[in-house]
Amino acid sequence: MQMLPWLPQDPDLSGAIKAARGIADPLARLHAAIGLAGHDRDTVATQRIDRLAEGCLAELGDGGLTPLRLAILASHSVDHLVPAIRVAGLSHGIAASVHVDGYAQFRQTLLTGDAALERFDPQLVLLALDTAALLPALPLSTDESEADELVRATAADVRQLWRQARNRFGAQPVHQTLIGQAPPVIGSNELLLPASPASLCRRLDQALREAAVEDGVPVVDIADQLPEAIGDDRRYDPVRWHQAKQLINPIFAPLYGDLVARVLAAAGGRSRKCLVLDLDNTLWGGVIGDDGIDGVKLGQGSAEGEAYLAFQHQVVRLAERGVIIAVCSKNDHAVAAAMFEQHPEMHLRQSHVACFVANWQDKATNLREIARRLNIGLDSLVFVDDNPAERAIIRRELPQVAVPELPDDVAYYPERLAAAGYFEAVAVTHDDFARGQNYAANAERAAAVEASTDMDGFLESLDMTLTVGPISPVDRPRAAQLINKSNQFNLTTVRRGEQELAALLGDPANVGLCFRLRDRFGDNGLISVILARPDPQWGEGSLLIDTWLMSCRVLGRGVEAAALQVLADAARRSGAIRLVGEYRPSGRNAMVEEHYERLGFVPVEPPETCNGAARFWHLPLADAAPPAHHMKLEIRA
Amino acid sequence: MTQQDIYAGLTEVMRDVFEDDDLQIGSTTTAQDVPGWDSQAHVLLIVATEQRFGIRFTTAEFESLKNVGEFATLIGDKLARRG
């Protein structure tokens, strides 16, 4: 039985786990465990991989993964699901610590507090509830308005619990959707009985989904994303419920764990960003170089052609919501491009494609090149190729790239790609919709740079306007998204949730700025965030730049210089006499090692209490001259 | 499937579930004899055994099992009934 069908199978997973246990070096052992977590696996194998990884993490701390503390407050047993959450976390670069609250204690814990949970200090609180725990059984004769009232009151009650998770524990609440346990009393026309358990479950579930969107609460959707049955096994099995109060069948643990982990990853900005597509037999049937434009199968008239077209439609929808699309194909560039330009049924257009690579080099080299040109990490890429040999090579050469197993029939490609959950998001911002176009416009900009020999002239010709203002509540979701996902142009890589950010901005002594960049190619949206705060270690009048990050899309455009000018003004207004800049190497942010030096800051010795690897510079504000740039500044109050 | 085959299969399942490559079981082995065999592990053991042998235990059977011997006999009965 395939539980995680997009992951490759290991013919001897059990043997591989045993072999990994024998690795002496804990870091090498952890990497082996991470590799094993990337394979299709059942519940027992998942638990064994968890023990293997937990042993390593006990020795290593986080082992280079992002540590994350998740508390689960549930109305049913969840202990059997915890190893699967941790193992799925490994695949997403997360070392999850999971605290399980006392059985069905969620209300008490949230309303009156709990010492153990306070000590655990969760970053996220997953409320995993079932309908029976929330709603009293009603007489079936209860009328519509009474049932409505109960649903409304119950939803208000759950929202209160979310608020408590935020207020009492400073944690981001996460909502798990409700799944029906009681079968219908009528059947198809169940809603004729507004108070039947099945009707109430449906209504409450809908009410809570809407409340979650309103309250900014991410959702783990077990009702729609977890299949009701796989083979003879059901996600909710009354046998397991009666035996152990398990709402989720242990057999489904690997899938459940992945659902939770991908939402955690998305909340931490670790979702994938870019879909790289092969062409022949992936976007159309046949080989363009052999069969010609007239010979390949695409579009109406053949079942196979329609299936390829349906896959293209799914790809375009992903592009529209901000997933970057790239092409990586072994083809003559002109031949591949002609298909896009001339085939009347092509739904994916070159304008959707941010980076188009068709040549005869090996695909690992090309994927590296794609990541470089788009300024994103290899761990942001998903590579879709119908050829199992190419998939195997990429998995071996570039283990950071996600490479889904594909079903034999292209008709199943769209749902397979969706099932893998690579592009999970917990917020959708206006910028997401514009992003795809931006990356495509960037390709044009890059071409313009290559063509231009006069950099200043080129920047001037871009006609750039930088809009600057405080981080308002409207900006907060996108600002938090950037704070949690930028790795390369990020001076300190301090991560902050929306809650934490709001708290920080609430203090008038702190400076928080966000920057939007427009140019003649389009609007780049919110591209940079700076946070600065007084720090007693640096003495009176010093403002420590706690966070400075920028989207790599706008690298080399002089945004930093213009941003410094605005920051210096804001600092002066807050009464500061100098700025202190910090650089903390993260392994991925070497590109900004010289950032402060380039902006005219002078190195200073850190206070003794500082973290060893961090380096510091300062800029006295009295004699700071505004650095040169090519931006028009638009200051929002 | 012989009793011997059943014990061999069950040993493999239990070694994986309890993460003990040297685990030896006999008909009188009970939960007390195996470190880690608590109520949660018991459900996992049942699930893994069901998958391994392609059988299902009923809610009632789950409660009545006293030791590995009864477990193996029940598996044998179910396999025989299935034919």
Side-chain angles (χ1 to χ4, degrees), chain A residues 1 14 18 21 42-44 47-48 51 79-80 232-233 237 239-240 242-244 246 250-251, chain B residues 13 15-21 39-40 43-44 46-48 50-51 56-59 62-63:
Chain A
M1 182 183 60
S14 186
K18 260 182 223 167
R21 277 209 301 258
D42 65 14
T43 303
V44 173
Q47 181 179 299
R48 297 172 68 204
R51 289 206 191 130
D79 289 312
H80 62 299
D232 292 336
D233 299 303
D237 187 330
V239 176
R240 304 291 165 239
H242 297 311
Q243 281 168 354
Q246 292 171 339
I251 291 173
Chain B
V13 170
R15 284 179 176 179
D16 280 353
V17 168
F18 299 112
E19 198 88 14
D20 178 355
D21 295 343
S39 59
Q40 199 199 320
V43 182
L44 189 57
I46 295 278
V47 168
E50 288 181 341
Q51 288 196 308
R56 293 279 170 163
F57 299 104
T58 66
T59 313
F62 174 85
E63 286 170 322

Side-chain angles (χ1 to χ4, degrees), chain A residues 165-243:
Chain A
R166 285 186 163 130
N167 297 343
R168 189 178 286 277
F169 297 101
Q172 169 71 58
V174 178
H175 171 64
Q176 176 172 303
T177 54
L178 302 175
I179 54 176
Q181 292 167 259
V185 181
I186 295 184
S188 294
N189 295 283
E190 188 71 5
L191 288 179
L192 291 172
L193 285 181
S196 83
S199 289
L200 284 175
C201 175
R202 182 180 290 266
R203 281 163 184 244
L204 182 58
D205 183 52
Q206 185 60 28
L208 289 173
R209 284 170 190 264
E210 288 165 9
V213 171
E214 244 174 74
D215 292 2
V217 171
V219 170
V220 173
D221 189 2
I222 57 170
D224 285 356
Q225 301 294 314
L226 207 55
E228 267 186 80
I230 297 177
D232 292 336
D233 299 303
R234 298 191 267 161
R235 69 176 178 203
Y236 169 74
D237 187 330
V239 176
R240 304 291 165 239
W241 179 258
H242 297 311
Q243 281 168 354

